Amino acid sequence: MNSNIETKCIHEGWKPSQGEPRQLPIYQSTTFKYDTSDAMGKLFDLEAEGYFYTRLQNPTNDAVAAKICAMEGGVGAMLTSSGQAANFFALFNICEAGDHFIASSSIYGGTYNLFGVTMKKMGIECTFVDQELPEEELAKYFRPNTKAVFGETITNPTVSVFDFEKFAKLAHDHGVPLIVDNTFATPVNCRPFEWGADIVTHSTTKYMDGHAVCVGGCIVDSGNFDWMAHAEKFPGLTTPDESYHGITYAERFGKAAYITKATVQLMRDLGSIQSPQNAFYLNLGLESLHLRMERHCQNALAVAKFLEAQEKVAWVRYADLESDPYHDRAKKYLPKGTCGVLAFGIKGGREKSIKFMDSLKFASIVTHVADAKTCLLHPASHTHRQMTEEQLAEAGVASDLIRLSVGIENVEDLIADLRQALDRI
Ligand SMILES: *Cc1c(COP(=O)(O)O)cnc(C)c1O
């Protein structure tokens, strides 16, 4: 039965039959038993479906992946040990040494490093682009060996809103998929597949978990990209895989080719699984995600309006504010609200910003973001510390930028805390 996102948060994934546990069981087992040697052999040939080893698949993880898949509207999903693993696998599944892809320069610092430094060592080159460039300018960055385009629905930490339609058209005109990291928006506020994205990734560590208990990630496949139509670009999906008895994923698995390959080949070989225990916690987080996102957005908008009215605040960026340059785009792609994260600067720059942060009582200084508890960080001193001034400017991270992740506490208490800290500078 078709259901709305709130119902999916509760009911998708684990669907017990008569007499089974109501809540998702934790299958805390590395392996699964078979009665005959032949029954097990069929699994290895991918001729029969079943569990055999948790590095490849586990029932707890699969139930949670199925829930996220349903929330995003995809055909298949896979949990990973972290958001970093999700983004790496999402690209490595279709890129190999000698290939190239295009990513927005405004993405999360960890992903920027992964793409610009670590993947480069593997022979995969990434060109970072200013995501606000017009389509004709962006088109110039495509090469014959370009295999994908990557962006974030809401960029971390600059909270800019991604122009899905522009990038989906560009990617598809060049015969490559659009991969979108939907971590900050979550499928409650935005479903990138509805706007042309082909693959979605998540750091489930953030709002999905929501309580700062488990690092995790997820990849969701829309099933919409036609790999066979661009067969020469994606040999990993459209020619036989020697490591799987010559299976051609796009022929054998059709719409689920991409996610099947990511599971049976990349997860098998690289083994960045999420533990079933963590998947269980993630599922608990997902059950209240819709409620929390609504409150995060309400609180963040009230906080953004408060900050905007303060003499000591130099600027505020939050796309749900009418004054924000991304407001119209946010209304289009995220009509229910963006997320609880906003960015702002304090007059007097770095030094005053640090004094302000150190004076807060509820809001804690942590690397984490997108969580029930209000927290904040100064990217130039923390997450983006390894970047040069030039790279910071390219990523749009001002040296006075404070990333504030507004939690679900009482908003009057939060504003009182911000007010007293502002009074101290
Ligand atoms: C945190 C984050 C990541 C990395 O996820 P981890 O779970 O920390 O590995 C990737 N993308 C975005 C947008 C993030 O906020």
Side-chain angles (χ1 to χ4, degrees), residues 84 87 103-112 115 131 150-164 167 178-185 192 201:
Q84 287 297 110
N87 283 330
S104 159
S105 62
S106 310
I107 55 173
Y108 168 68
T111 314
Y112 190 94
F115 291 174
Q131 64 177 20
F150 181 95
E152 289 174 0
T153 304
I154 303 168
T155 59
N156 177 2
T158 49
V159 291
S160 305
V161 178
F162 192 65
D163 190 344
F164 285 97
F167 279 99
L178 174 62
I179 305 177
V180 175
D181 181 330
N182 197 33
T183 298
F184 272 16
T201 61

